[in-house]
Amino acid sequence: TGAKNMFQFTIITLASSNSLVFWALCGRYVLGHEAMRRMGTANVLIAGMRGLGVEIAKNVILSGVKSVTVQDEGLAEWMDFSSQFFLLASHLGQNRALSSLSRLSALNPHVHVSAHTGPLKETLLQQFQVVVLTDSSLDDQQRFGTFCHSNGIKLIVADTKGLCGQLFCDFGEEFEVLDTDGETPASAMIDHITKADPGVVTCIEQRHGFVDGSTVSLSEVCGMTKLNSYGPVDIKVLGPDSFSICDTSSFSEYKKGGVATEVKKSKILQFKPLDEALVDPELLVMTDYGKMTKHQTLHLAFQALHGFVKRVGRLPKPRSQSDAELLVAMVTELNKVSHLDQLDEDVVQSLSFTACGDLAPVNAFIGGLAAQEVMKACTGKFTPLQQWLYFDALECLPEGNGGEGEELTESTCSPRGSRYDGQTAVFGSGFQERLGEQKYFLVGAGAIGCELLKNFALIGLGAGEGGHITVTDMDSIERSNLNRQFLFRSQDIGVREKQKSEVAAQAVRVMNPNMNITAHQNRLDPDSEQVYGHTFFMGLDGVAAALDNVQARVYLDGRCVQHQRPMLEGGTLGSKGHTLVVVPHLTESYGPAKTGSQNAIPLCTLKNFPHRIEHTLQWARDQFEGLYKQAAEHVNLYFRDAAGFLERTLSRGEAEALEVLECVWGGVGGQRPQGWEDCVGWARRQWETLYNNDIAQLLHCFPSDQLTRSGLPFWSGAKRCPHPLTFDPSNTTHMDYVVAAANLYGQIYGIVGTRDSSAIRSILETVHIPAFTPKSTVKIHLTDKEMEEERESGHLDTGRLEELQKKLSSPPVNSAALQMHPIDFEKDDDNNFHIDYIVAASNLRAENYDIPTADRHKSKLIAGRIIPAIATTTAAVAGLMCVELYKLVQGHRKISSYRSSYINLAVQYCVLSEPLGPQRFTVTVFAQSRRPSMHKGTQRKEQRKVCSKKRELSGPHLQFASDVMPGLLCSMEQWPHWNLEQEWALAN
C-alpha cells in the first residue's frame, strides 16, 4: 500500500458473509476460481517445524489447501524461540510439530492439519502432491528429491542460516503453467484495420498494452466481420498503438468498432532433479543484481555447510575463526569443479560466523516465497521458481565489527538460555539489549501490521527495560481479515470491544510475554496530533507504516521528516510487494502523493460514453453514493440548521446549489415515500429514467447516424452507440435492480422492505410510468471541459433555484421525525443489498451500451475497490521491512547498507536495490532585523554581517535535505518577524 516508483498500492479488506466460503472467495480475488478449486484438493507435507517451517505452514494453511501435515522429530529448545512463533515456554523439551499443531489448526478451520513425529520415509511422501523440506541435510534433499521427481511429487527445499536463505523448486519433467502472471488480460479498442498481409490494427488508446508474441482475439468488428470468428491470432507489436495480425487482404473492408483482447496461453516448464540442478549454474535466479558473485558463492557455501555438519556434527560456532577457515577451505575445494570466476571468501566467512543464527525476518521472507511456490505447485497458477534462489542480508552486520556496541566474539554471541539465542548468535548480546530499549510506533494492525508485530515480538523489539511499542488501528475485525491477518480468530469477529490493535497486542504478548506494547484505536491524521504530537514523535526511535492508503502514508512520512525519525514502509498488491526505508539525511523520503488524476475516468465518459465495464461499475458506485448517502446527509444537515445550510450551499455556486437543493427537496417535500409501495414505485421509475429515458434523450441529441463536423460517424471509436431498454419483470437483472433499489431507498427513510419478488411484482403492476418525450433544449456535453464551462457560464434555471430557496426557507416542524439514515457502502455484507444494487445497475448500463457484463465476483472486486492481500506477500514484505529495522538499530550510516525492494511472487521477481539519496538544495537565507530598539543604520550593518556570513557558509555548509526541512528552504522575507538571533541560529 502506498508503494512509490514502481507500484501504487492500496490494501482493502475483502470478505464473504458465509463462513464456509469466505476463505475461497478471498483467494479467488488473487488466484481465480479454478486455482482455488485445485488448492482445495491438494495435500501438502512440510518437514521441519523450526521458525522457517512454521512460517511456511502458516501461510499455506491460510491459503486454503485441503490438508497440511507438519513433520518434525526434534524437541523445542530456547534457540527455536527467536523465530518459532507458535512455541510457548511450556513446550520446551516437547516435540515441535505436536506443540505447534493446535495453533496451526486454528488458523483455518477448513484445512485439515496433522502432525507426524516420526522420520521421513518414501512411503510417507507418496501421500502428498507437494513436499516441502526445511532444516534438512543435503543427503536427504538429494534422496527425497530423486524420489519425488520420479513419482510426480512437487518438491520445494527451503533453508535459512543466519542472514542467508536458500530456496529450490522441482516440479517435475513437465509442469503446465495455466496463467504465467495472473494479470488481467490486456484489451484495446480498435480504431482501424488495414486490408493487407499482414493486416495492421491501430488502437484508439495511446498504449494497447500488448507485447510481441501476444495472442489476441478480435470481437465486435464491423465490416471486416470475419475477424470476429477467426480465432486467436499471434501479433507483432509495431508501436505503442498498433500491431500486425494475420493476412486480411481477402477480407471485406473495415468499417468501425472492434476490441482486441489478450488470450492467455498455458506454458510447459521442465525441471531438473535436485542432484542435477546442483551443478547447473544457469538455474540461479538473482534477487540482488549487486550481489551476483555473492549468491554464486552462496550456492557452493550452502553445499559446503552441509558437508561441514556431516564432518563435524554441528554447525560452525558463532564467530569461530577456525570453523570459518575450514568452511572456506571446503568451498574452495568445491569450486575446483564449479570454476566460479570469482569466489567471495568474505561471504563464506560471514555465513560461517552467523550460520547458527535463526532470524525471524529472514524466515518470514523465505517462508513467504516458499509458501507461494507451494500454491503454484498446487494450482498451476503463476510462474514457479526455476530453480535456485539465494538471499542474503549480510549488510545487517555492524559496519565496524561491533558498530556502536560490543565487539562480536564467540563469547558475546554464545547462547544464554534465552528466547533470543538464535538472534544473539548473529548480532551479539549487546545488540539484543539495544533492540529491547527501542521505542517504535506501528501504524496499522492489518495484514502487514500483524506480520510486523509477530516479528517485533520474536526479535524482542521494545521488550526490554525502557522499550515500548505503540500500535494504532481504528478498525474492528472482519471475517475477511482471517485469511492473511493471522493474529485474529473467528471468535474476535463482530465483538465491538475487540479492535484490531488490541487483539493483535494481546496475541503478541502470548508470543513474547516481555513485550511492552500499548494499543490505540486512533486514526492518524491532523485531528490526532494532540495525541501524536511533537513530544510523542521525539520520544520515538522509529516508525513502521502498515497503512492502507497513500494519503495516510504521505502524512506519516511528513511527520517523520518533521521530527527526523526513520520510517519503515511496505505495501502489497496481491502477489506484488514493495518496501522502502527512510533514513533521515541519508535516503529519500516517501514524499508527496503522486496525483492519480491521469488514471481518473472522465466524467463525460461516465455520464454518457462508457465503453468498459469499469466505467459502468464506477457509474453505479456514483449512483449509490448520490442516492443513498449524499442525499440523506444533505437532508439531515438541512434539518439541523436550515438557514446555515442554505447559506453554505448557495456559496458553492448556483449549479451545485441547484443540484443539492433539488436533492433536499426530494427528501423533505411531496416525493418522500410513505410506505413500502412508494419505495417500489420510486425504484421502478428510477429504472425507467436511467435505462430508457436518459438513453432516449442521448440518442435524440446524437442520433445513431450522427456525423461529426469532419464527416465521420459520431458513434465510433470509444463512443459506443447505446440503445434504450424495455423493462421486463421476468428479466432477473431488471428485477434485481428494483428489489435492491427499493430496499435501499426504504432504508434511508426507515421503511422496512422485502426480498419477496412475487410481492414486488404485484406492486409493480400498479406503478404508473409517465410517458417520456425527448427535449430539444437539453444539452449533452462531449467533454469535461465543456461541462465545466457550462457550469461557470451560469446558464441554469435560476427561477427553479429561487423557488427551492423559498420552499426550504422554513423547515418542517416535525424535522426530528424526518431525519434520514445515510448508507455507507459496505461490500462485505451480502445481505445488505449494496453489491446487489451495484451489480444490477452496472450490468443494465452495460447492456445499454453493448458492453460485456461482469459477474458478481468481478463486479465486487472492481466496485468495492478490492485490491487483495495474501499471506505469502505480506509475510515476505514484513520480513524485508524488519531486515531494514536491524540496520536502523545498528545505526548504519552507509546508504549502500540499505535496500529498497520490489517483489512479484507470481513470477518470482525479487529485486533489492540501494535506495536513492535525499534531494538536496543549496540555499541562501536573507534576514531583516525587526528589533525596534535598533537604529536603521545599525540594522543595515548587522544585515550586511549576516549576508557576509551566509556567503561564507554557502555550498555544502548550507545544503539541507529536502526531506528534513520541507517548506523552510526559501527567503527569510517570508518570515519578516524573525529577529537576528533566530536567523544567526539557523545560519550556524
Side-chain angles (χ1 to χ4, degrees):
T1 303
K4 304 289 285 260
N5 305 325
M6 181 170 289
F7 304 122
Q8 287 284 348
F9 299 146
T10 305
I11 303 172
I12 304 179
T13 57
L14 43 146
S16 165
S17 60
N18 188 328
S19 63
L20 295 178
V21 299
F22 87 90
W23 244 282
L25 287 175
C26 293
R28 284 188 184 120
Y29 285 118
V30 181
L31 300 177
H33 297 273
E34 177 60 21
M36 285 304 299
R37 185 192 65 77
R38 294 183 178 214
M39 286 278 287
T41 64
N43 301 301
V44 180
L45 171 68
I46 301 173
M49 277 295 105
R50 293 182 185 272
L52 179 58
V54 78
E55 182 72 47
I56 298 171
K58 177 256 293 180
N59 295 332
V60 171
I61 292 168
L62 289 173
S63 72
V65 295
K66 180 181 180 181
S67 75
V68 171
T69 298
V70 294
Q71 181 273 343
D72 200 318
E73 298 178 76
L75 305 180
E77 54 188 9
W78 278 120
M79 186 67 76
D80 300 323
F81 282 72
S82 61
S83 66
Q84 221 287 18
F85 46 85
F86 280 162
L87 289 180
L88 305 176
S90 59
H91 292 143
L92 284 167
Q94 298 182 23
N95 180 271
R96 285 188 289 257
L98 288 176
S99 298
S100 307
L101 182 60
S102 63
R103 301 179 74 189
L104 285 170
S105 299
L107 290 171
N108 189 342
H110 310 303
V111 177
H112 177 69
V113 185
S114 59
H116 181 80
T117 59
L120 287 180
K121 295 181 180 180
E122 284 82 353
T123 52
L124 176 66
L125 270 58
Q126 284 179 321
Q127 303 173 30
F128 303 94
Q129 287 79 51
V130 185
V131 171
V132 183
L133 301 180
T134 72
D135 195 30
S136 56
S137 68
L138 184 58
D139 290 342
D140 281 350
Q141 293 172 14
Q142 291 178 302
R143 177 163 63 96
F144 294 131
T146 301
F147 176 82
C148 289
H149 190 86
S150 60
N151 285 274
I153 301 170
K154 283 76 174 177
L155 174 71
I156 297 167
V157 175
D159 198 6
T160 59
K161 292 291 183 287
L163 288 163
C164 300
Q166 174 195 60
L167 188 61
F168 169 80
C169 291
D170 172 14
F171 290 177
E173 293 290 339
E174 287 192 353
F175 179 77
E176 184 179 15
V177 180
L178 302 175
D179 184 348
T180 57
D181 57 14
E183 298 293 334
T184 302
S187 67
M189 298 192 70
I190 296 171
D191 184 53
H192 185 70
I193 305 175
T194 63
K195 286 185 65 173
D197 182 17
V200 175
V201 178
T202 305
C203 300
I204 293 172
E205 290 92 343
Q206 292 184 345
R207 294 189 175 275
H208 48 60
F210 303 129
V211 296
D212 259 346
S214 292
T215 300
V216 304
S217 64
L218 303 174
S219 60
E220 304 179 41
V221 177
C222 296
M224 201 177 281
T225 55
K226 191 172 181 180
L227 285 173
N228 295 329
S229 57
Y230 191 85
V233 56
D234 293 335
I235 69 168
K236 180 179 180 181
V237 172
L238 303 177
D241 63 347
S242 62
F243 56 87
S244 63
I245 52 173
C246 57
D247 181 0
T248 61
S249 57
S250 62
F251 296 172
S252 54
E253 288 287 343
Y254 171 83
K255 292 183 178 178
K256 65 176 183 176
V259 177
T261 305
E262 179 187 11
V263 176
K264 292 275 189 173
K265 295 187 292 186
S266 63
K267 186 177 182 181
I268 302 296
L269 301 179
Q270 291 81 36
F271 291 80
K272 292 184 178 181
L274 189 142
D275 53 355
E276 292 182 27
L278 272 173
V279 294
D280 189 343
E282 298 300 319
L283 299 179
L284 200 62
V285 176
M286 289 293 133
T287 58
D288 189 328
Y289 289 91
K291 297 182 176 181
M292 189 173 295
T293 302
K294 285 186 175 182
H295 291 177
Q296 290 171 340
T297 301
L298 280 176
H299 185 59
L300 297 182
F302 266 81
Q303 296 175 53
L305 201 58
H306 287 291
F308 185 102
V309 173
K310 192 172 181 179
R311 180 188 301 185
V312 182
R314 58 169 174 78
L315 287 168
K317 293 179 181 179
R319 292 287 157 178
S320 169
Q321 191 63 44
S322 59
D323 285 355
E325 291 171 358
L326 175 57
L327 188 65
V328 169
M330 295 175 73
V331 172
T332 303
E333 187 66 25
L334 286 175
N335 195 39
K336 291 179 180 179
V337 177
S338 298
H339 303 296
L340 291 182
D341 293 334
Q342 288 181 281
L343 190 65
D344 194 331
E345 294 189 0
D346 290 339
V347 168
V348 181
Q349 177 174 271
S350 295
L351 176 65
S352 179
F353 284 167
T354 60
C356 264
D358 191 19
L359 301 177
V362 178
N363 285 332
F365 177 67
I366 296 296
L369 269 59
Q372 188 69 54
E373 296 306 308
V374 173
M375 295 165 67
K376 296 175 187 177
C378 294
T379 64
K381 182 75 176 276
F382 303 149
T383 302
L385 170 68
Q386 287 192 282
Q387 291 187 253
W388 292 100
L389 179 145
Y390 287 89
F391 167 78
D392 84 87
L394 294 171
E395 65 275 2
C396 290
L397 293 170
E399 290 176 336
N401 181 27
E404 299 175 2
E406 65 190 345
E407 181 181 356
L408 298 182
T409 64
E410 288 189 56
S411 174
T412 58
C413 296
S414 62
R416 286 160 168 73
S418 159
R419 64 169 54 250
Y420 308 119
D421 279 352
Q423 191 163 254
T424 301
V426 176
F427 296 112
S429 55
F431 177 72
Q432 189 59 57
E433 292 179 8
R434 214 179 315 160
L435 273 172
E437 296 166 353
Q438 296 293 299
K439 297 180 181 67
Y440 258 75
F441 184 30
L442 171 61
V443 188
I448 294 179
C450 282
E451 292 290 340
L452 287 174
L453 282 174
K454 176 256 293 180
N455 292 340
F456 290 173
L458 293 170
I459 70 177
L461 186 75
E465 186 175 351
H468 194 267
I469 304 293
T470 302
V471 57
T472 187
D473 192 308
M474 63 179 297
D475 290 340
S476 57
I477 299 164
E478 301 174 356
R479 186 170 299 279
S480 62
N481 301 146
L482 305 187
N483 82 314
R484 77 272 187 205
Q485 299 178 20
F486 83 108
L487 297 181
F488 309 138
R489 299 292 178 268
S490 297
Q491 59 268 27
D492 299 324
I493 300 167
V495 182
R496 184 176 297 276
E497 60 272 15
K498 287 195 172 184
Q499 299 291 310
K500 280 186 179 181
S501 58
E502 188 57 48
V503 174
Q506 292 173 0
V508 296
R509 287 191 195 101
V510 173
M511 292 181 186
N512 184 348
N514 297 321
M515 286 294 289
N516 302 312
I517 184 168
T518 300
H520 293 173
Q521 290 79 46
N522 301 316
R523 183 192 299 274
L524 191 77
D525 59 19
D527 292 338
S528 64
E529 289 184 10
Q530 56 184 352
V531 179
Y532 310 119
H534 175 77
T535 302
F536 176 82
F537 271 91
M538 294 306 293
L540 297 173
D541 293 294
V543 173
L547 288 155
D548 64 359
N549 64 87
V550 173
Q551 291 73 23
R553 275 177 159 75
V554 170
Y555 173 76
L556 180 58
D557 174 67
R559 299 289 283 160
C560 290
V561 165
Q562 180 182 358
H563 297 94
Q564 300 185 40
R565 291 295 177 263
M567 184 179 81
L568 298 163
E569 187 272 323
T572 69
L573 174 65
S575 61
K576 299 170 185 171
H578 161 99
T579 66
L580 175 72
V581 57
V582 179
V583 188
H585 309 284
L586 189 65
T587 72
E588 68 171 349
S589 70
Y590 184 83
K594 295 181 179 179
T595 177
S597 60
Q598 65 270 22
N599 298 319
I601 304 171
L603 190 57
C604 285
T605 298
L606 292 178
K607 288 175 68 67
N608 301 309
F609 309 114
H611 54 86
R612 293 180 181 274
I613 195 65
E614 289 82 1
H615 300 160
T616 66
L617 282 164
Q618 182 61 57
W619 175 86
R621 270 301 304 270
D622 292 346
Q623 288 286 316
F624 184 99
E625 294 293 322
L627 293 172
Y628 308 120
K629 182 181 181 183
Q630 294 169 3
E633 289 177 337
H634 290 323
V635 170
N636 290 345
L637 288 171
Y638 166 73
F639 283 147
R640 287 174 201 161
D641 179 13
F645 175 79
L646 290 173
E647 182 181 350
R648 291 191 300 272
T649 301
L650 292 170
S651 68
R652 292 155 69 175
E654 292 183 338
E656 187 173 350
L658 180 60
E659 185 178 325
V660 171
L661 296 187
E662 286 280 16
C663 189
V664 172
W665 180 245
V668 175
Q671 298 177 20
R672 190 180 180 95
Q674 301 303 307
W676 172 239
E677 290 77 8
D678 290 345
C679 296
V680 175
W682 174 88
R684 173 64 183 88
R685 288 187 293 273
Q686 190 74 9
W687 190 102
E688 195 71 17
T689 298
L690 296 175
Y691 305 112
N692 185 294
N693 301 351
D694 287 352
I695 301 300
Q697 179 67 60
L698 179 61
L699 289 173
H700 178 76
C701 295
F702 302 106
S704 59
D705 57 356
Q706 176 93 4
L707 299 177
T708 65
R709 291 177 181 176
S710 56
L712 298 175
F714 175 84
W715 294 106
S716 62
K719 291 187 176 69
R720 290 174 173 263
C721 185
H723 63 274
L725 303 182
T726 301
F727 184 78
D728 179 2
S730 64
N731 184 302
T732 302
T733 308
H734 294 198
M735 283 301 294
D736 284 348
Y737 177 89
V738 171
V739 171
N743 275 277
L744 291 168
Y745 193 62
Q747 287 175 22
I748 63 175
Y749 288 101
I751 298 172
V752 178
T754 179
R755 287 185 180 271
D756 189 341
S757 296
S758 60
I760 294 173
R761 284 193 187 95
S762 298
I763 299 173
L764 288 174
E765 293 175 0
T766 66
V767 176
H768 172 67
I769 304 299
F772 175 76
T773 302
K775 298 179 178 62
S776 299
T777 56
V778 172
K779 180 176 181 181
I780 293 177
H781 305 100
L782 299 180
T783 65
D784 286 6
K785 184 178 180 181
E786 279 187 20
M787 189 181 301
E788 188 60 32
E789 289 173 351
E790 176 79 9
R791 276 177 168 270
E792 293 175 356
S793 69
H795 295 157
L796 51 86
D797 190 350
T798 55
R800 176 58 178 168
L801 181 59
E802 292 173 0
E803 180 186 356
L804 288 171
Q805 281 183 256
K806 186 176 180 180
K807 287 181 176 180
L808 294 170
S809 60
S810 300
V813 178
N814 60 338
S815 58
L818 297 178
Q819 285 283 323
M820 294 178 67
H821 311 282
I823 299 175
D824 288 312
F825 180 73
E826 171 52 64
K827 66 193 175 300
D828 293 332
D829 183 356
D830 283 342
N831 296 314
N832 63 9
F833 297 101
H834 297 194
I835 290 296
D836 295 342
Y837 177 86
I838 295 295
V839 174
S842 169
N843 283 341
L844 286 168
R845 187 162 177 82
E847 189 179 344
N848 277 138
Y849 287 86
D850 294 316
I851 298 169
T853 58
D855 61 16
R856 186 182 184 87
H857 168 74
K858 182 177 180 180
S859 298
K860 186 175 181 181
L861 176 68
I862 298 172
R865 300 185 179 94
I866 299 168
I867 303 180
I870 51 177
T872 51
T873 318
T874 54
V877 163
L880 290 175
M881 290 172 71
C882 288
V883 165
E884 300 307 304
L885 174 62
Y886 280 144
K887 303 169 188 177
L888 291 174
V889 178
Q890 291 275 11
H892 284 0
R893 295 307 306 162
K894 295 179 181 176
I895 195 170
S896 59
S897 295
Y898 292 94
R899 290 291 182 273
S900 295
S901 69
Y902 303 94
I903 65 175
N904 184 352
L905 302 191
V907 293
Q908 206 51 280
Y909 173 88
C910 303
V911 173
L912 287 80
S913 59
E914 183 179 308
L916 297 175
Q919 189 177 4
R920 295 181 179 274
F921 301 91
T922 300
V923 298
T924 301
V925 184
F926 298 95
Q928 283 186 323
S929 172
R930 286 293 184 269
R931 289 186 292 179
S933 60
M934 186 178 290
H935 186 271
K936 287 185 178 180
T938 308
Q939 287 183 6
R940 285 193 291 271
K941 291 179 182 178
E942 291 296 328
Q943 188 173 344
R944 282 195 295 273
K945 289 180 182 178
V946 171
C947 292
S948 174
K949 182 67 173 178
K950 286 298 182 191
R951 284 192 291 273
E952 293 172 12
L953 291 175
S954 63
H957 299 289
L958 278 179
Q959 284 189 345
F960 297 138
S962 63
D963 59 339
V964 174
M965 298 183 68
L968 295 183
L969 308 184
C970 50
S971 170
M972 285 300 297
E973 292 171 2
Q974 295 188 24
W975 289 278
H977 299 293
W978 276 32
N979 60 34
L980 279 173
E981 286 80 9
Q982 290 170 314
E983 203 284 336
W984 273 95
L986 181 61
N988 289 278

